[in-house]
């Protein structure tokens, strides 16, 4: 059943051009890993543009967190699909990735030629500090709207403790939260967050099994046929064939987001394939963490250097493109195949409580990402200390980055006290970081 507008103050469905412009805007500003990106999209799509309501946004976020691959990019794809079908999903998803991919490609080339780019890294220190303020603001907003009962708060707290202290896999947390919500939240307000009906939607979510299978087969072919063609033409031993196969495998096992797979990827890249040294792998991770776009764009850094070292600049560019294709094409497969079923789940009364439990758990997971991000922005070293089954991230206080602390405080003032926009906050903190780096150099 098609949605209708019931809120007199709501905006109409955006044109495709408006969606493209906003998606490009988000792509350029999508710093801070998944926590920052989810926060930014919530601020733009839900609070400012009002193109999608809170319930749909959180339901889609629940779904995307269950999928392999970068959840923030998949969430952007879903919003685009919801507004303008497949064309909208492609536009929103690609524009979420492309700005960061271009920056990472440029910095990868500079790294290959000159090593670290210190001045650029200095600017990104300020941007990361600004993103921290954006993340905290969005976390407060989402928690206030999604946690509408004591049980929802309890589930969120339990989810945070489970993932932050015990490192319990996210799928286990989701199943436990769904069961708790099914048993306790079915009749509460939290089971069905208020939907303002603010989305004037031209897209229908009814879909047949035949259409689902056709969509899955089409996007599976889009993902695999170009990579298989490379392997056939170049041979399985060629670096481009190996890069395509390795990152395609990675795209299927990255449950829990980029953080969950980085250790596995780094080990294989360094110890098995020997494409990078351990120090270079760490440089790549730092570069990806401080540039816009998903953290998983570190794969592009790896693919570029691996191919560059075996065939020069043109081969490096091909390696970067193959890596991007293998990493992000599967995301469109997951979203375009599964997205039509999200609304069906929300309309099933018996599942509303389970979905509310999952939504509460996702708030806890976002808090985990926020704390993790804050620790790694404000401290240079954050070792993990074990107390039996508990794994606690304890910052080394002597490694506190006082510049980052000061920049984060500046961001809080600009964003939360002076109520300036995200762009202004990022610009002020980036400029302040650059000035500080030049003075201290």
């Amino acid at each position: 059943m098609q949605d209708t507008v019931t809120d007199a103050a709501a905006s109409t469905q955006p044109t495709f051009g408006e969606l493209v412009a906003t998606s490009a805007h988000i792509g350029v500003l999508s710093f801070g890993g998944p926590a920052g990106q989810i926060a930014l999209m919530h601020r733009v799509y839900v609070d400012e543009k009002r193109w999608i309501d809170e319930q749909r946004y959180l339901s889609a976020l629940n779904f995307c967190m269950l999928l392999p691959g970068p959840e923030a990019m998949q969430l952007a794809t879903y919003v685009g699909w919801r507004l303008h079908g497949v064309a909208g999903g492609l536009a929103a998803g690609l524009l979420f990735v492309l700005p960061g991919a271009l920056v990472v490609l440029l910095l990868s080339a500079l790294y290959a030629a000159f090593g670290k780019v210190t001045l650029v890294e200095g600017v990104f220190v300020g941007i990361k500090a600004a993103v921290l303020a954006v993340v905290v603001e969005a976390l407060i907003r989402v928690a206030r709207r999604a946690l509408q009962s004591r049980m929802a708060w309890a589930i969120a707290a339990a989810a945070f403790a489970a993932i932050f202290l015990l490192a319990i896999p996210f799928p286990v947390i989701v199943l436990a939260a769904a069961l708790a919500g099914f048993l306790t939240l079915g009749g509460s307000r939290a089971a069905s967050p208020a939907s303002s009906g603010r989305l004037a939607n031209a897209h229908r979510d009814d879909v047949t099994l035949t259409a689902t299978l056709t969509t899955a087969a089409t996007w599976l072919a889009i993902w695999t046929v170009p990579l298989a063609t490379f392997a056939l033409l170049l041979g399985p031993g060629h670096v481009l064939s190996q890069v395509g196969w390795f990152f395609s495998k990675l795209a299927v096992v990255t449950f829990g987001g980029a953080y969950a797979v980085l250790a596995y990827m780094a080990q294989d890249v360094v110890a098995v394939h020997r494409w990078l040294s351990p120090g270079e792998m760490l440089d790549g991770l730092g570069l990806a963490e401080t540039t816009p776009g998903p953290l998983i764009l570190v794969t592009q850094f790896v693919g570029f250097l691996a191919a560059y070292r075996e065939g020069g600049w043109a081969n490096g560019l091909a390696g970067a493109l193959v890596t991007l294709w293998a990493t992000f094409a599967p995301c469109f497969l997951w979203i375009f195949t599964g997205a039509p079923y999200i609304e069906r789940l929300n309309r099933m009364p018996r599942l509303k409580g389970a979905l509310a439990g999952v939504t509460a758990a996702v708030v806890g997971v976002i808090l985990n990402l926020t704390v993790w991000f804050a620790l790694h922005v404000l401290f240079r070293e954050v070792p993990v200390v074990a107390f039996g089954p508990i794994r606690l991230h304890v910052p080394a206080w002597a490694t506190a980055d006082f510049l980052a602390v000061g920049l984060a405080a500046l961001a809080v003032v600009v964003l939360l006290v002076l109520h300036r926009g995200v762009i202004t906050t990022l610009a002020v903190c980036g400029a302040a970081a650059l000035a500080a780096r030049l003075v201290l150099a």
Side-chain angles (χ1 to χ4, degrees):
M1 184 174 180
Q2 201 167 346
D3 302 305
T4 57
V5 174
T6 59
D7 188 340
S11 59
T12 59
Q13 179 181 350
T15 66
F16 186 76
E18 290 172 331
L19 174 63
V20 168
T22 301
S23 299
H25 171 83
I26 289 174
V28 170
L29 299 180
S30 58
F31 293 88
Q37 292 151 5
I38 291 166
L40 176 63
M41 285 189 288
H42 182 275
R43 183 184 180 99
V44 174
Y45 287 137
V46 179
D47 294 331
E48 295 178 0
K49 300 293 185 180
R50 304 173 68 190
W51 288 345
I52 185 169
D53 61 40
E54 190 84 29
Q55 180 180 2
R56 283 196 181 92
Y57 185 86
L58 293 176
S59 297
L61 178 57
N62 296 344
F63 177 73
C64 294
M65 282 192 162
L66 293 174
L67 298 174
E71 62 267 32
M73 178 267 184
Q74 291 166 341
L75 181 58
T77 303
Y78 171 83
V79 173
W81 173 87
R82 189 75 224 175
L83 294 169
H84 280 283
V86 172
L90 280 171
L94 290 174
L95 288 170
F96 184 86
V97 171
L98 286 179
L102 291 173
V103 173
V104 171
L105 178 61
L106 174 62
L107 295 180
S108 298
L110 291 174
Y111 186 92
F114 305 110
K116 291 186 178 182
V117 187
T118 305
L119 196 62
V120 174
E121 290 180 349
V123 174
F124 287 143
V125 168
I127 292 175
K128 288 171 66 176
V131 168
L132 181 56
V134 176
V135 168
V136 171
E137 179 194 41
L139 176 65
I140 294 171
R141 289 186 179 184
V142 171
R144 187 178 296 151
R145 297 173 184 177
L147 306 182
Q148 301 180 16
S149 72
R150 290 183 178 179
M151 179 54 65
W153 276 96
I155 292 174
F160 171 75
I163 196 169
F164 186 76
L165 298 177
L166 301 175
I168 294 176
F170 182 70
V172 176
I173 295 173
V174 166
L175 290 175
L179 178 60
F182 181 82
L183 295 174
T184 63
L185 296 177
S188 72
R189 290 174 60 202
S192 182
S195 174
S196 63
R198 293 180 296 191
L199 181 61
N201 223 327
H203 186 76
R204 298 177 64 88
D205 56 27
D206 51 339
V207 63
T208 64
L209 178 60
T210 300
T212 298
L213 294 176
T214 300
T215 299
T218 299
W219 284 96
L220 181 62
I222 290 173
W223 169 22
T224 59
V225 169
L227 300 177
T229 301
F230 262 111
L232 288 174
L233 293 176
L234 302 175
H238 194 279
V239 64
L240 295 180
S241 302
Q242 293 178 342
V243 164
W245 171 241
F246 176 73
F247 288 115
S248 290
K249 289 191 298 180
L250 207 67
V252 178
V253 301
T254 53
F255 290 96
Y259 296 115
V261 80
L262 288 179
Y264 161 74
M265 182 193 73
Q267 182 177 3
D268 269 29
V269 165
V270 174
V272 178
H273 294 285
R274 301 185 184 278
W275 288 332
L276 275 70
S277 69
E280 290 171 337
M281 189 69 238
L282 289 174
D283 289 341
L285 291 174
L287 186 152
E289 284 183 333
T290 54
T291 51
L295 179 58
I296 201 66
L297 278 173
V298 67
T299 58
Q300 184 188 14
F301 176 83
V302 173
F304 177 88
L305 288 185
Y308 164 77
R309 285 168 177 168
E310 291 199 21
W313 294 105
N315 207 50
L317 177 60
L321 294 176
V322 168
T323 302
L324 288 175
W325 193 275
T327 300
F328 293 104
C331 297
F332 294 110
L333 167 62
W334 315 141
I335 292 298
F336 292 150
T337 302
Y341 295 93
I342 297 176
E343 290 296 310
R344 292 187 179 188
L345 294 176
N346 286 325
R347 290 197 297 265
M348 295 180 182
R350 292 185 178 182
L351 291 179
K352 283 187 175 181
L355 291 174
V358 175
T359 298
V362 167
V363 174
V365 173
I366 294 174
L367 175 59
N368 167 67
L369 292 173
T370 303
V371 173
W372 188 95
F373 180 59
L375 290 174
H376 287 79
V377 168
L378 303 179
F379 298 90
R380 296 186 181 91
E381 296 180 14
V382 186
V384 177
V385 180
F387 300 95
I390 296 176
R391 300 291 186 269
L392 190 61
H393 295 262
V394 180
W397 296 99
T399 68
D401 188 336
F402 294 105
L403 174 60
V405 172
L407 291 169
L410 174 63
V412 168
V413 171
V414 174
L415 184 67
L416 301 180
V417 178
L418 301 179
H419 302 292
R420 303 300 181 187
V422 174
I423 295 178
T424 300
T425 305
L426 291 171
V428 168
C429 291
L434 177 59
R437 182 60 61 95
L438 291 174
V439 169
L440 298 175

